[in-house]
Amino acid sequence: MTAASSPIATPNDLEAYWMPFTANRSFKKNPRMVSRAEGMFYYTPENKPVMDGTAGLWCCNAGHAREPIIQAIQAQARDLDYAPSFQYGHPKVFAAAARIAALAPGDLDHVFFAGSGSEAADSALKIALAYWNVSGKAAKTRLIGRERGYHGVGFGGISVGGMSNNRKFFGSLLTGVDHLAHTYDREKQAFSKGEPEYGAHFADDLERIVALHDASTIAAVIVEPMAGSTGALPPPKGYLKRLREICDKHGILLIFDEVITGFGRLGFAFAAERYGVIPDMITFAKGVTSGTVPMGGVIVRKHIYDAFMNGPDNVIELFHGYTYSGHPLAAAAALASLDIYRDEGLFERARAMEGAWADAVMSLKGEPNVVDIRTLGMVGAVDLAPRAEGAGKRGYEAIERGFHEEGLMIRTAADTIAFSPPLIITESQVEELIGKLRRVIRSVAN
């Protein structure tokens, strides 16, 4: 559209912005706008408080507007606004890598930085392929994801991802990809607190895939320890350990996508620690900076890093990276966020609150249309029966009513309501959140 034919845009015009993962037309008819945040709350432009039931987007684990993080970002912007990440470095990115690696279990000792969780997932997949190439096993190119999995929106991530709406519009995606069966069986797992007793055997589906393709062609398996975006599906007891055993048996790399579960969401720095399983790589993002500055990355085990450190030492070992890998502001925000997590004991606090949180969430059982509830760490999910006119309509109405009538921010996946508050939430605020959610569920009963 030319300037002459274009309508005059106003400062509050909503039309120009094509919003991601949003029903744009519905939103713009009745916007859900926030203009500031502090602690556990967002505030609308009219200064109405909105309780943050989602830690932003699974990311603001330390809460909003934390002064130490603000000061770190401001100081870094004054001192060093940007530094190239190719062939040059700056002190804080090395400090951040060391701090993150120290939190990871086992010999997950090296950190490759990216700008987001999507970039982290694609980076991990590329590192896996490159690892087998430099190890003399270039035929190992097949990547295995899981049904209902989410690994960002890059072509690698949606190829191994298993959420149909994220895949179906974008052609054939990457070739040589297969998927494990998902781990959810409502009939046998409904209303589970924590990891369901039933379902460890779902990991054995990897044996079927190995038999079909042969292990000599399979590079890596990537799974979320807890499938988050699909509606918070906790892993069955023993599932992840069994997956690790099968990968070891067949010489397949195991990648944990911990973009959601990392940095305290499940009561530990990483879910790998909670489950006593050491994957070959961990992807992270979101909570690493408590959502303040975009940052993501991959933590890799020592033997993977070492496999690349051969040949002339002046030659680039991995031809991959991003303009904003290890950005100075992101590194400063990460260090400040990690300080808060440590000094306030937020990981330990989440672990201590898990039982009371689960009890509070499970109190919603018996409310209208509630067909299942799941809890894990500081995560809750409530499945609502869909309306006759189609899946997702009840869930969308819950978002609208939650925001406009209850002052509550939630997420939905179709008719599943998911909530994951900042780790600073108090017991009284848990009660407040569940009370708001109870009223929302009742308000969309018809």
Side-chain angles (χ1 to χ4, degrees):
M1 185 178 290
T2 65
S5 62
S6 171
I8 297 175
T10 66
N12 296 318
D13 182 23
L14 306 183
E15 191 56 32
Y17 179 29
W18 189 348
M19 301 172 69
F21 279 111
T22 299
N24 277 252
R25 289 165 296 169
S26 292
F27 177 92
K28 291 170 184 178
K29 290 175 184 174
N30 192 18
R32 297 175 295 279
M33 302 283 272
V34 296
S35 58
R36 68 180 183 91
E38 183 177 354
M40 271 293 301
F41 290 88
Y42 284 102
Y43 293 85
T44 69
E46 298 76 32
N47 210 36
K48 174 186 174 182
V50 178
M51 176 174 266
D52 183 3
T54 60
L57 199 57
W58 308 92
C59 51
C60 302
N61 293 357
H64 296 281
R66 298 302 305 271
E67 194 61 32
I69 305 175
I70 294 170
Q71 291 180 4
I73 294 169
Q74 290 175 334
Q76 187 59 53
R78 284 193 299 269
D79 293 344
L80 180 66
D81 55 352
Y82 175 79
S85 57
F86 303 172
Q87 304 283 10
Y88 298 91
H90 61 91
K92 283 191 172 63
V93 72
F94 290 93
R99 291 280 298 276
I100 293 165
L103 290 173
D107 62 347
L108 285 149
D109 293 340
H110 299 276
V111 179
F112 188 97
F113 282 111
S116 67
S118 293
E119 291 180 358
D122 277 16
S123 295
L125 298 176
K126 289 180 72 175
I127 290 170
L129 295 173
Y131 168 76
W132 290 118
N133 197 307
V134 301
S135 299
K137 297 182 179 181
K140 292 174 74 70
T141 59
R142 193 172 298 278
L143 302 168
I144 310 300
R146 186 170 62 191
E147 295 171 358
R148 299 191 67 171
Y150 179 76
H151 304 289
V153 295
F155 271 96
I158 61 174
S159 296
V160 294
M163 298 177 69
S164 61
N165 282 338
N166 295 348
R167 297 164 51 87
K168 67 183 181 182
F169 298 106
F170 307 112
S172 58
L173 308 179
L174 297 185
T175 59
V177 173
D178 209 335
H179 291 79
L180 297 164
H182 65 75
T183 64
Y184 182 57
D185 185 333
R186 180 178 292 168
E187 183 177 337
K188 295 183 174 66
Q189 298 171 341
F191 299 98
S192 293
K193 292 181 182 178
E195 297 81 2
E197 296 287 343
Y198 175 85
H201 67 282
F202 287 121
D204 293 333
D205 194 44
L206 182 55
E207 293 282 16
R208 174 190 62 83
I209 291 175
V210 170
L212 176 64
H213 299 296
D214 196 81
S216 65
T217 71
I218 300 175
V221 172
I222 182 169
V223 297
E224 300 163 275
M226 178 200 74
S229 295
T230 192
L233 305 180
K237 289 182 179 178
Y239 172 86
L240 295 172
K241 285 190 175 181
R242 179 66 181 137
L243 207 57
R244 175 75 274 181
E245 290 167 359
I246 298 171
C247 286
D248 286 343
K249 173 184 174 183
H250 295 292
I252 299 168
L253 297 180
L254 178 61
I255 304 167
F256 278 3
D257 186 334
E258 297 223 35
V259 169
I260 283 175
T261 55
F263 303 101
R265 183 54 51 191
L266 302 188
F268 294 84
F270 295 102
E273 182 182 358
R274 177 180 176 120
Y275 296 112
V277 177
I278 300 177
D280 296 292
M281 290 182 252
I282 291 175
T283 65
F284 66 88
K286 295 186 184 289
V288 67
T289 64
S290 196
T292 55
V293 180
M295 179 180 244
V298 188
I299 317 172
V300 304
R301 294 182 69 177
K302 185 177 186 301
H303 72 275
I304 294 176
Y305 176 82
D306 288 346
F308 290 90
M309 299 301 128
N310 293 301
D313 62 9
N314 65 303
V315 174
I316 295 169
E317 296 98 359
L318 179 65
F319 283 82
H320 176 63
Y322 304 94
T323 299
Y324 297 113
S325 292
H327 191 285
L329 270 63
L335 290 168
S337 299
L338 293 174
D339 285 346
I340 289 176
Y341 295 148
R342 178 197 62 204
D343 296 344
E344 298 183 7
L346 290 186
F347 303 167
E348 297 81 2
R349 187 173 185 276
R351 191 155 71 245
M353 289 187 68
E354 180 170 356
W357 166 258
D359 290 342
V361 176
M362 284 294 171
S363 74
L364 297 168
K365 184 177 180 180
E367 294 295 338
N369 302 301
V370 172
V371 295
D372 192 17
I373 298 175
R374 297 174 294 280
T375 67
L376 186 68
M378 293 301 292
V379 178
V382 177
D383 290 348
L384 301 178
R387 289 199 171 119
E389 61 265 36
K393 292 194 174 183
R394 196 187 302 278
Y396 187 79
E397 187 178 339
I399 288 179
E400 288 200 307
R401 295 203 178 190
F403 186 89
H404 292 297
E405 298 177 14
E406 292 295 334
L408 176 65
M409 182 178 288
I410 55 176
R411 290 192 71 251
T412 61
D415 293 299
T416 296
I417 299 174
F419 37 104
S420 50
L423 303 182
I424 62 170
I425 191 170
T426 64
E427 291 183 9
S428 64
Q429 288 171 335
V430 169
E431 183 178 346
E432 181 182 356
L433 188 156
I434 298 302
K436 289 175 179 289
L437 190 54
R438 190 183 309 277
R439 292 190 292 274
V440 168
I441 292 171
R442 292 175 179 177
S443 74
V444 299
N446 298 323

